[in-house]
Every structure is written in structure tokens, then in C-alpha cells.
Amino acid sequence: MARVIVIGGGWAGCAAALTARKAGASVVLLERTDMLLGCGLAGGIMRNNGRFTAAEELIAMGGGELISITDEAAQHKNVSFPGHEHATLYSSMHVEPKVRGLLTEKGVQLNFCHRVVDVVTCGRRVESVVTADDVFFDADVFVETTGSAGPMGNCSRYGNGCGMCVLRCPAFGPRVSIAHKAGIKDDVGLRNNGSKGSFSGSCELNKDSLHPALLSELESLGSVILPVPGELVRPEMAGIKACRQYSLPAYIENLILLDTGGYAKMMSPFYPLEMLRRFPGLENATYAHSCGHANSVRFLSRAPRDNSLKVCGSANLFCAGEKSGFFVGHTEAMVTGSLAGLNAVKCANGHPLIEIPRDLVAGDLIAFEEEALRMPGGLKQRYTFSGGIYFERMCDHGLYTTATELIARRVRTVGMEGLYLKSNKAGTRTVKLE
Ligand SMILES: Cc1cc2nc3c(=O)[nH]c(=O)nc-3n(C[C@H](O)[C@H](O)[C@H](O)COP(=O)(O)OP(=O)(O)OC[C@H]3O[C@@H](n4cnc5c(N)ncnc54)[C@H](O)[C@@H]3O)c2cc1C
């Protein structure tokens, strides 16, 4: 039986573990924190814009388990807010235990509080990964889904956590790039001003800190738009976000809140509390994670990879999620994770690897990001089904649709129906890009 190790339990790692397991491998997932979902714990928006198409595609390909969990946990469906249509808003509080249950039921071995800090290589092969506790995990193939975020390392350098954990740092500890440890140089995303990384475009407010009338409106409609008072409008913030789908003027002129169950998700970065509390209804607002001066810094590390998601220069290392591209989103992580997990097993068994054809949005996103990244300004772009340049491309190329029958037909036409349901057969063909 092929042995696969997945490093990182965000949405991409969970998807990779599932497809690898379904393809017949024994799968071990190593996660440095005590929870699954990674950045997904601060998320909640699914099926908005082109993510609807991608979600339905994944379902038709036999990889819909995680989509079903978020659909079932959704408290609001078909919500529209500026620049976004037909969103589903789910509660990560409800979802994490369900994902954990599903992976366990499928036989994925989950190891929490296992931070991978090093690798052992032999030529181009990774032989094992090593955790901070000096435990070696051997496998035939490895999938890196460590995301692209990571703070400085003081918390783990000076003991087992630091006092600043009261600020609920979701990542705990410094970034480790498995690809880099295996001798492969990562790409680093840039901001518009040329500095490294980029910032998230949203954060969370505690729902019980909102005015009851505002909370009741939010819970009944799913979203609330609060116009920004003139003196608080900050046009310079538009260019700073990682998520370009929220760089629209509507997000500068308004404060947009979404109900993601446990939290009120605020679709603006960097709102000092004293500014926030000048909005009617937010006089007592508090941030759930970090504070108004902070935000997630991501896109610091993306492994070079081909369109099968194998890391270039390695014989047996795959990547997915933000680690496989400057992708933003849960759906993007699930789509890439599913492919990486399947291909990891194919690699272990010596079978040809799959590339998803560009007639499907999954294949087109993966191939487009790789091409666009190498173009001038490509390192400053982020790629998502839900907005920015990639959603524009989906619309221009007729790839965006919410017609579920059409999506299923497209998947059938290119021979990808039930791809992730199949056992790992040698005969599965490699699909070449156009
Ligand atoms: C505040 C915020 C809000 C967001 N909201 C949404 C939203 O509403 N909808 C949406 O679609 N997208 C949203 N996103 C984006 C989306 O969450 C991410 O793009 C996606 O979840 C990335 O998944 P991933 O699995 O690639 O990486 P991550 O979620 O970063 O997961 C990486 C995992 O690997 C673990 N890990 C890292 N290093 C190691 C190591 N060395 N050893 C072991 N484990 C390790 C981490 O602890 C983490 O669990 C949001 C992002 C943020 C930051």
C-alpha cells in the first residue's frame, strides 16, 4: 500500500488526505496546531462567483465531501454583497469537528501538535520528514500543504509558546517550507509596493459585541452594508489587500459585515478599534482574532510546481493550496488539494500523473496561475475563482456558469467524472494541456 504523508491540515491538506486515502493509500496528516482548517478557521464564504462553478465541478469529479460539509453547515445561502453573488456563509465552528470526523472515519491518521521542521532527502527524493520533537515520519510520497502564512519564530524559539498567544496567533511558530528544506527555492509573493507577502482582506468581530439591532439585521439577512462616514474613508487601503476581489470601491465606501455563524466577518483590513467604534451599531465592537492594527500576512512561500502539482526538482513531493500558487480561498485549496492527493498516490504506484484539462476551471486556474506568475507583475497578483483577474478570465472564456447540469456535462466530456471516486488504476490517462 502506498504511504502518503500530508504536511499541514488546512483545507488543502484535508482534501489531499481524503483523495489519497480514497485512491488506496495509507495517509498520515501532520498538523502543527490542535485543529484542522488553518486559515479556514477565519473564513466562511463559499460558492461566491466562480467558486460556485468550481465547487460543482469538484462534486462531479467525486471530490465533493468537503463542499457538502460546508453546504450543510451554511447558515445563509444565496447571499449577495458588493462584487459577489450567490455566496454560502458557513460557520467554521461547526465545520472543523465535522471535517475531523470525516477524515477519521475514512482512516486518515491525524497527528496534531506535530510541527514539521526538517526533511531527510536522498537525491531528488524526500525520504522522511522530521518534527520539532525529533520524530521521523517515512513515506513514499509527501504532500506539502503548509499554506503561505507564518510569523516570526519567537514563540517557539523561547519555549512552548509565548505570552502573546493571548492574541490568539492562529499559526503559532515560524514558517517552515518543506520544499525549501528539500533544496527547492520557493517563489515569494509581492505587494504593490514591491515588499514581500501580502495582507488578508478580512477579519472577524465578536457577534455579541455588536448592537442588538445590528446583530439581528445581520443574522436575518446574512450581510449588512454600513456606509463609511466621510472622514473615515481611506482610498489608500484598496491596493493593500491580498484578496483583490475586495479591492472594489464599494469596500472603501462601506463597511461590509457577513454572518459566518460564530463571528461577524468584516471585509476590510486594518481598522483601528477607535475608528471602528465610530460606526453606529459598532460602539462596543471587539475583534475576535488579533486587533484592528493586525491582519494575516501571507503569500510568502509558493513552491515551483507543474500542473500535476508535483514540485519541480523533486521526485516525490507534491504541493497544494496556497503553497501551490498565489491562490486565495477554501475552494481553491480543496480543488488543488484533491488533485495533489490523487497524484501523490499515482506517483507512489508509478502511474502517470493527471493534469486537469483547461476546459474545466480547476485545470485552467492551476495552469493560468503558473503562466501568469511568470509574466511581469505576476508575483503581485492573487488568483481566485471569486474575483480579480481570474474570475474576469472565467467570464471572458465562458467558464463561469451556475448551471449545474452544464458543469456536470463538461466534467463528463473531458473524462473527469468521478475521478476522485476511482481506485488507483494504472490505466487512468494523463490529460495533456491544450
Ligand atoms: C482572515 C482570513 C479570512 C479568509 N476568509 C475566506 C473566506 O471566507 N472564504 C474563502 O474561500 N477563503 C478565505 N480565506 C482564504 C482561505 O482561508 C485560504 O486561502 C485557504 O484556507 C488556504 O488553505 P491552505 O490549506 O492552502 O493553507 P492554510 O489554511 O494556511 O493551512 C496550512 C496548515 O498547515 C499547517 N502548517 C503550516 N506549517 C506546518 C508545519 N511546518 N508542520 C505542520 N503543519 C504546518 C498550519 O497550521 C495550517 O493548519 C481567508 C483567509 C484569511 C487569512
Side-chain angles (χ1 to χ4, degrees), residues 7-13 30-33 35-46 48 51 90 114-117 145-149 170-171 174-176 178 200-204 243 246 260 265 267 296 298-299 320-323 327-333:
I7 307 127
W11 279 121
L30 304 174
E31 164 56 45
R32 68 181 167 182
T33 69
M35 285 179 90
L36 294 174
L37 302 191
C39 291
L41 290 170
I45 312 175
M46 296 285 289
N48 48 330
R51 285 179 181 155
Y90 76 81
H114 277 61
R115 172 195 301 279
V116 176
V117 293
T145 48
T146 55
S148 65
R175 228 220 99 68
V176 177
I178 308 307
S200 184
S202 68
C203 49
E204 270 136 352
C243 319
Y246 303 117
T260 53
K265 188 171 164 72
M267 308 308 292
S296 71
R298 285 145 62 215
F299 305 104
E322 290 187 5
K323 190 62 213 258
F327 299 129
V328 184
H330 312 334
T331 315
E332 294 73 358

Side-chain angles (χ1 to χ4, degrees), residues 45 81 199-205 224 226 228 232 234 237-238 240-243 246-258 264-272 275-276 279 282 287 290-296:
I45 312 175
F81 50 95
F199 297 97
S200 184
S202 68
C203 49
E204 270 136 352
L205 301 179
V224 167
L226 299 172
V228 178
L232 299 183
R234 301 172 304 159
M237 299 312 281
I240 206 167
K241 301 175 184 179
C243 319
Y246 303 117
S247 309
L248 306 173
Y251 290 85
I252 295 300
E253 292 154 12
N254 302 288
L255 194 70
I256 295 167
L257 299 181
L258 304 179
K265 188 171 164 72
M266 190 176 100
M267 308 308 292
S268 308
F270 303 114
Y271 240 92
M275 276 176 79
L276 189 70
F279 284 78
L282 299 180
Y287 284 99
S290 73
C291 67
H293 289 281
N295 237 234
S296 71

Side-chain angles (χ1 to χ4, degrees), residues 331-401:
T331 315
E332 294 73 358
M334 291 175 196
V335 160
T336 51
S338 299
L339 180 64
L342 176 65
N343 274 334
V345 182
K346 290 194 173 289
C347 174
N349 291 334
H351 298 164
L353 303 181
I354 299 277
E355 290 179 8
I356 301 175
R358 295 188 74 159
D359 311 69
L360 303 186
V361 297
D364 191 58
L365 177 79
I366 291 169
F368 177 77
E369 191 268 355
E370 174 60 30
E371 288 165 5
L373 193 78
R374 311 292 161 203
M375 308 290 278
L379 292 171
K380 294 182 179 173
Q381 292 289 345
R382 304 294 166 258
Y383 304 87
T384 164
F385 297 121
S386 75
I389 57 168
Y390 188 71
F391 182 52
E392 269 169 37
R393 176 182 163 84
M394 282 179 73
C395 296
D396 292 348
H397 288 67
L399 287 166
Y400 168 54
T401 174

